Amino acid sequence: MLDTHAAVKELTKAGLSEDAAEAIVQVQLRTLHQGLATKEDILGLKLEIEKRFGEIEQRFTGIENRFGGIEQRFTENERHFSSLEARMSRLTFLVWIILAIVALTNPIAARLLERLLGVPF
C-alpha cells in the first residue's frame, strides 16, 4: 500500500510544490489500483469458476452414463453374435451333411456338385 502523506512530504522536500507532489501521488495511486482486484472480485470469480466446473462435471457425468449404455449394448451384441456364430457353424455343418447325402444318393446331383464346388464325390 502507498503511504500518500509520506510520498507528498518526500516530493515537497525534494523541491516540488505541494500541488505538483499531490498530483504525482494521485497518478501513482490510480496506476497502482488499476490492476488490483477486490475481495468481492475474487469471490465472484471463485463462484463463477465453481459454477463452470459444476457444469463441466455434469456434462462428464452425462457422457459417462451414455458410454455405460453403449458398453452394455456392445456386450449384448457380442453375446448375440457369439450365439449367431455358433448357430451358423451348426447350420454350415448340416448343409454339408445334406449335400453329402444328396451327392451319395443322386449321381446327377453328385456330378453337379463336383462341378460347382470343385470337390469330387
Side-chain angles (χ1 to χ4, degrees):
M1 199 50 126
L2 178 65
D3 183 355
T4 56
H5 180 68
V8 169
K9 278 180 75 172
E10 192 173 331
L11 289 170
T12 54
K13 196 189 267 188
L16 289 175
S17 70
E18 194 169 322
D19 287 342
E22 285 180 5
I24 290 172
V25 170
Q26 286 303 315
V27 168
Q28 286 181 332
L29 201 56
R30 277 197 304 272
T31 303
L32 181 67
H33 287 112
Q34 252 178 351
L36 296 179
T38 64
K39 285 182 181 179
E40 290 80 23
D41 292 335
I42 294 170
L43 288 175
L45 184 60
K46 180 183 175 192
L47 290 174
E48 182 66 26
I49 289 171
E50 287 174 353
K51 177 184 170 193
R52 294 207 181 193
F53 271 117
E55 291 169 358
I56 290 169
E57 190 172 333
Q58 285 178 336
R59 288 181 184 170
F60 274 125
T61 300
I63 290 169
E64 284 175 341
N65 290 340
R66 283 186 291 206
F67 273 119
I70 290 170
E71 186 177 11
Q72 182 181 359
R73 283 184 280 175
F74 184 74
T75 302
E76 290 171 5
N77 285 339
E78 277 184 322
R79 199 170 49 246
H80 289 299
F81 281 127
S82 294
S83 173
L84 182 63
E85 188 177 42
R87 282 187 261 160
M88 287 299 291
S89 293
R90 286 191 299 255
L91 183 62
T92 302
F93 180 71
L94 288 174
V95 167
W96 278 107
I97 289 176
I98 291 169
L99 286 175
I101 291 170
V102 168
L104 291 173
T105 58
N106 187 334
I108 296 172
R111 297 294 165 252
L112 210 94
L113 288 172
E114 282 178 358
R115 286 194 172 186
L116 288 173
L117 301 175
V119 177
F121 283 96

